[in-house]
């Protein structure tokens, strides 16, 4: 055996070179497959994430637009608009980026919406009397409501809704008992486990760079939602704002509104279940009847409490630049150009320079404002 | 190049195993066959990539279409007093457009059809079916007049391999005029 090995002449140089060539070729192919797979996987993941983000953002915003108002009355947070010549509370407060001109950025929207907690449940611990000015909540619920922003006796931050029917201010909190600012008159009575909602004025806004509070965690733009106390125009991108990030990669938010009873030239300014014409009165419901450029303060008709439909347009993009799936580290997927939210709004995103290299998704949906009717 | 070294060891073992006779390593043909087999394996991998990307496109289409259907449901919810006007509309057939007497329904039809067209989906068609659930409110004053509204959007999706397949999304809701 040993002798045989000693007598072995081994491979010739040519053989070694050819075998190495074949080996290198095979390994190179395998590595290319590996890196391509990895990059495709990454691109795939980011596209999935982008689609998920825009879907979630649309669901959250449309959910709150449907709830906006919540049959409430009284001052809630900062949701004020000029209605009937005076500044008063409004269920929806539009905030167009540039009123009366083409937008150069995303809109924002503020709404009065209910919030509730599940652990402990924000519910009544026992039946109320018939006509009452005190309620007792489940153990710990009052503390949880305080933590969420309920401030007794402080206008704008002390409104609750009992069962979605009675909205009252809270005067003071002792333990789990809330003393109300007014008596809920007889025959109103609520049974144990009736949910109690904290009414808040929340704002949705797209935070673009520079991100003052770094809420997007370095991946601006993102969509934030928060209870803002800053004066009009509502602003989440100011120092110390309590807004929290909810969806990554939302680049644009555009909202157009349709209203009923807001044009005094139609039906005497009374609502008739038909969206009012804007501009030319042509007795049709068309794109021109969606309002995107307005302050909603034309006394006493063209006001925010007349909004009956809201058309939300969203643009989402990848949170990180696309690197393509080829060998080079650059993507030719999305070059410069524009993204139109494809509604009758006035904002088109111009993609140039550092904005290239992101895949984008857009969604547009009309939403009925179901709960503003009582205002 | 560790891998090259491994390859070399494989060569050595091959020679020992064949009892060290007149073995001259792999022939070129053998090497090429091995490379071809690996290439087939890699091709299968790339097929999986294509499959995965295709599923992603499906997900995008579904999101878009569900959103389009929800848009119409919201419009009908607003105009629920005249929900019957939406019965049988078809975005691909203008003769089903509601009459000018149904101002809102007509506007909704036009805007919805435009939205469908601009969605970028091929062969996208939206229809609405409205079915009365209770007794006819025109003859029965106590009837609630509830109607089942089904908004259906169908489109041609790219099928695996060649050709297209028609896909459909339906949203149903019960609407009662107040």
């Amino acid at each position: 055996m040993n002798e045989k090995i000693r007598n072995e002449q081994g491979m010739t140089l040519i053989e070694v070179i050819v075998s190495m060539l074949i080996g290198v070729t095979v390994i190179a192919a395998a590595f290319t497959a590996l890196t391509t797979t990895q990059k495709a996987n990454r691109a795939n993941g980011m596209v999935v994430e982008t689609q998920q983000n825009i879907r979630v953002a649309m669901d959250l915003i449309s959910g709150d637009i449907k709830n906006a108002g919540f049959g409430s009355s009284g001052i809630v947070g900062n949701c004020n608009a000029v209605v009937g010549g005076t500044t008063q509370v409004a269920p929806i407060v539009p905030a167009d980026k540039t009123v009366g001109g083409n937008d150069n950025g995303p809109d924002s929207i503020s709404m009065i919406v209910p919030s509730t907690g599940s652990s402990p449940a924000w519910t009544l611990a026992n039946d109320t009397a018939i006509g009452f000015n005190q309620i007792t909540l489940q153990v710990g619920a009052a503390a949880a409501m305080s933590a969420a922003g309920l401030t007794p006796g402080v206008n704008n931050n002390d409104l609750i809704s009992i069962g979605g029917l009675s909205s009252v201010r809270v005067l003071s909190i002792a333990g789990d008992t809330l003393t109300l600012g007014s008596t809920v008159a007889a025959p109103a009575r609520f049974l144990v486990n009736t949910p109690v909602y904290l009414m808040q004025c929340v704002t949705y806004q797209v935070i673009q760079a520079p991100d003052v509070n770094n809420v997007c965690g370095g991946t601006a733009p993102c969509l934030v939602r928060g209870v803002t106390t800053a004066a009009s125009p509502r602003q989440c991108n100011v120092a110390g704002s309590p807004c929290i990030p909810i969806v990554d990669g939302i680049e644009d938010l555009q909202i157009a509104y349709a209203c009923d009873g807001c044009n005094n030239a139609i039906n005497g300014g009374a609502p008739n279940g038909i969206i009012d014409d804007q501009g030319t009165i042509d007795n049709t419901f068309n794109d021109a009847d969606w309002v995107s450029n307005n302050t909603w303060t034309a006394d006493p008709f063209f006001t925010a409490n007349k909004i009956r439909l809201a058309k939300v347009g969203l643009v989402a993009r990848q949170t990180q630049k696309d690197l393509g799936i080829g060998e080079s580290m650059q993507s030719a997927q999305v070059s410069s150009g524009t993204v139109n939210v494809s509604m009758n709004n006035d904002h088109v995103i111009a993609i140039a320079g550092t904005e290239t290299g992101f895949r984008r998704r857009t969604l547009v949906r009309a939403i009925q404002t179901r709960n503003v009717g009582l205002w | 190049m560790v891998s090259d070294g491994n390859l070399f060891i494989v060569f050595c073992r091959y020679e020992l195993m064949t009892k060290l006779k007149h073995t001259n390593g792999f022939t070129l043909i053998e090497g090429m066959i091995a490379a071809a087999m690996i290439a087939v394996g890699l091709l299968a991998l790339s097929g999986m990539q294509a499959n995965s990307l295709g599923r992603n496109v499906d997900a995008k289409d579904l999101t878009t279409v569900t959103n389009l259907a929800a848009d119409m449901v919201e419009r009908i919810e607003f105009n629920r007093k005249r929900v019957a006007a939406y019965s049988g509309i078809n975005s691909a057939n203008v003769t089903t457009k509601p009459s000018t007497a149904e101002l809102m329904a007509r506007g909704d039809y036009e805007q919805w059809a435009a939205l469908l067209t601009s969605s970028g989906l091929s062969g996208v068609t939206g229809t609405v079916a409205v079915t009365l659930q209770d007794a006819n409110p025109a003859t029965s004053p106590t009837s609630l007049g509830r109607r089942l509204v089904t908004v259906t959007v169908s489109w041609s999706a790219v099928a695996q391999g060649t050709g297209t397949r028609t896909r459909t999304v339906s949203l149903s809701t019960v609407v009662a005029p107040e």
Side-chain angles (χ1 to χ4, degrees):
Chain A
M1 186 88 173
N2 281 342
E3 193 152 328
K4 281 188 175 177
I5 287 176
R6 269 199 302 276
N7 289 343
E8 177 62 59
Q9 293 195 340
M11 295 190 285
T12 65
L13 182 60
I14 298 295
E15 283 169 344
V16 170
I17 289 174
V18 169
S19 65
M20 279 175 68
L21 260 176
I22 294 173
V24 166
T25 309
V26 169
I27 290 165
F31 265 96
T32 305
L34 183 68
T35 53
T36 310
T37 308
Q38 199 182 17
K39 285 181 177 177
N41 190 29
R42 180 189 152 95
N44 229 340
M46 285 199 292
V47 169
V48 168
E49 190 192 3
T50 307
Q51 284 169 193
Q52 183 168 297
N53 283 345
I54 196 164
R55 206 168 57 236
V56 167
M58 183 57 92
D59 284 351
L60 288 170
I61 293 175
S62 59
D64 271 355
I65 288 178
K66 289 172 188 173
N67 260 337
F70 203 59
S72 182
S73 60
I75 299 166
V76 179
N78 197 40
C79 279
N80 300 318
V82 178
V83 176
T86 55
T87 301
Q88 64 181 65
V89 66
I92 290 181
V93 185
D96 186 45
K97 180 66 165 61
T98 308
V99 175
N102 287 340
D103 285 2
N104 56 3
D107 295 346
S108 71
I109 182 172
S110 297
M111 292 168 279
I112 295 174
V113 293
S115 61
T116 189
S118 54
S119 180
W122 296 6
T123 56
L124 296 180
N126 36 45
D127 298 354
T128 66
I130 299 171
F132 57 94
N133 68 349
Q134 274 196 340
I135 55 171
T136 306
L137 303 181
Q138 308 290 348
V139 175
M145 288 179 90
S146 299
L150 175 64
T151 317
V154 175
N155 216 348
N156 290 358
N157 292 306
D158 61 351
L159 199 83
I160 61 169
S161 171
I162 306 168
L165 289 171
S166 293
S167 55
V168 278
R169 292 182 64 185
V170 175
L171 208 58
S172 63
I173 298 176
D176 291 303
T177 300
L178 275 53
T179 301
L180 309 178
S182 57
T183 299
V184 178
R189 181 177 188 232
F190 294 90
L191 302 181
V192 63
N193 291 332
T194 300
V196 175
Y197 303 93
L198 174 61
M199 305 298 292
Q200 291 181 310
C201 175
V202 304
T203 298
Y204 283 95
Q205 189 180 342
V206 172
I207 302 291
Q208 296 175 298
D211 180 359
V212 173
N213 298 311
N214 196 29
V215 287
C216 300
T219 58
C222 73
L223 182 70
V224 299
R225 179 187 195 269
V227 181
T228 53
T229 51
S232 184
R234 289 143 196 86
Q235 252 294 359
C236 281
N237 204 11
V238 294
S241 158
C243 296
I244 52 168
I246 52 167
V247 188
D248 279 340
I250 300 299
E251 194 174 25
D252 200 2
L253 164 66
Q254 293 290 321
I255 311 174
Y257 304 90
C259 52
D260 182 21
C262 56
N263 188 346
N264 66 346
I266 297 171
N267 202 25
N272 58 356
I274 295 171
I275 296 297
D276 284 0
D277 277 328
Q278 303 296 330
T280 315
I281 297 177
D282 50 12
N283 221 22
T284 60
F285 174 46
N286 53 26
D287 279 340
D289 300 333
W290 292 92
V291 181
S292 61
N293 269 329
N294 205 283
T295 54
W296 295 90
T297 54
D299 175 48
F301 296 102
F302 203 81
T303 49
N305 59 344
K306 307 282 179 67
I307 292 170
R308 291 295 174 270
L309 286 169
K311 187 155 68 173
V312 176
L314 283 167
V315 178
R317 74 176 196 196
Q318 294 176 185
T319 48
Q320 287 170 323
K321 271 205 173 188
D322 196 278
L323 297 176
I325 52 177
E327 281 295 302
S328 68
M329 294 297 281
Q330 283 300 319
S331 161
Q333 290 298 331
V334 185
S335 51
S336 59
T338 57
V339 170
N340 198 334
V341 194
S342 73
M343 44 199 279
N344 65 319
N345 67 21
D346 42 21
H347 190 213
V348 173
I349 304 176
I351 302 164
T354 57
E355 301 297 304
T356 60
F358 295 92
R359 285 189 184 81
R360 288 169 167 82
R361 294 285 182 266
T362 60
L363 277 187
V364 178
R365 186 196 293 181
I367 299 149
Q368 188 208 0
T369 57
R370 289 157 171 69
N371 282 291
V372 298
L374 298 174
W375 293 77
Chain B
M1 294 290 281
V2 177
S3 304
D4 281 347
N6 286 337
L7 205 66
F8 187 66
I9 289 166
V10 170
F11 265 80
C12 294
R13 290 190 61 194
Y14 181 78
E15 301 223 328
L16 283 169
M17 276 156 45
T18 51
K19 299 194 176 172
L20 310 178
K21 285 184 180 171
H22 301 288
T23 310
N24 292 318
F26 293 121
T27 64
L28 186 59
I29 298 295
E30 284 169 342
M32 284 172 71
I33 289 172
M37 285 166 71
I38 289 177
V40 169
L42 294 179
L43 268 177
L45 265 182
S46 74
M48 283 165 64
Q49 297 287 329
N51 198 358
S52 148
L53 288 167
R55 288 285 166 272
N56 231 333
V57 172
D58 284 353
K60 180 198 172 195
D61 287 357
L62 265 182
T63 303
T64 309
V65 167
T66 311
N67 192 62
L68 289 169
D71 181 87
M72 195 50 168
V73 170
E74 291 289 321
R75 289 169 183 271
I76 294 173
E77 286 273 2
F78 172 73
N79 198 21
R80 58 188 172 277
K81 286 174 187 166
R82 309 190 72 83
V83 57
Y86 295 85
S87 183
I89 64 172
N90 181 339
S91 69
N93 182 358
V94 270
T95 60
T96 63
K97 191 197 288 191
S99 71
T100 48
E102 294 291 347
L103 195 153
M104 284 300 294
R106 191 177 171 87
D108 287 338
Y109 176 93
E110 286 167 347
Q111 292 172 38
W112 194 47
L115 207 58
L116 288 166
T117 308
S118 67
S119 68
L121 298 167
S122 72
V124 62
T125 310
T127 58
V128 179
V130 180
T131 324
L132 191 62
Q133 301 287 90
D134 298 317
N136 187 355
T139 52
S140 171
T142 56
S143 170
L144 287 175
R146 290 174 300 181
R147 284 176 163 88
L148 175 70
V149 175
T150 304
V151 177
T152 305
V153 179
S154 61
W155 76 104
S156 299
V158 178
Q160 293 294 307
T162 56
T164 58
R165 66 204 157 112
T166 302
R167 304 189 66 198
T168 300
V169 163
S170 283
L171 294 186
S172 292
T173 184
V174 173
V175 171
E178 289 159 345

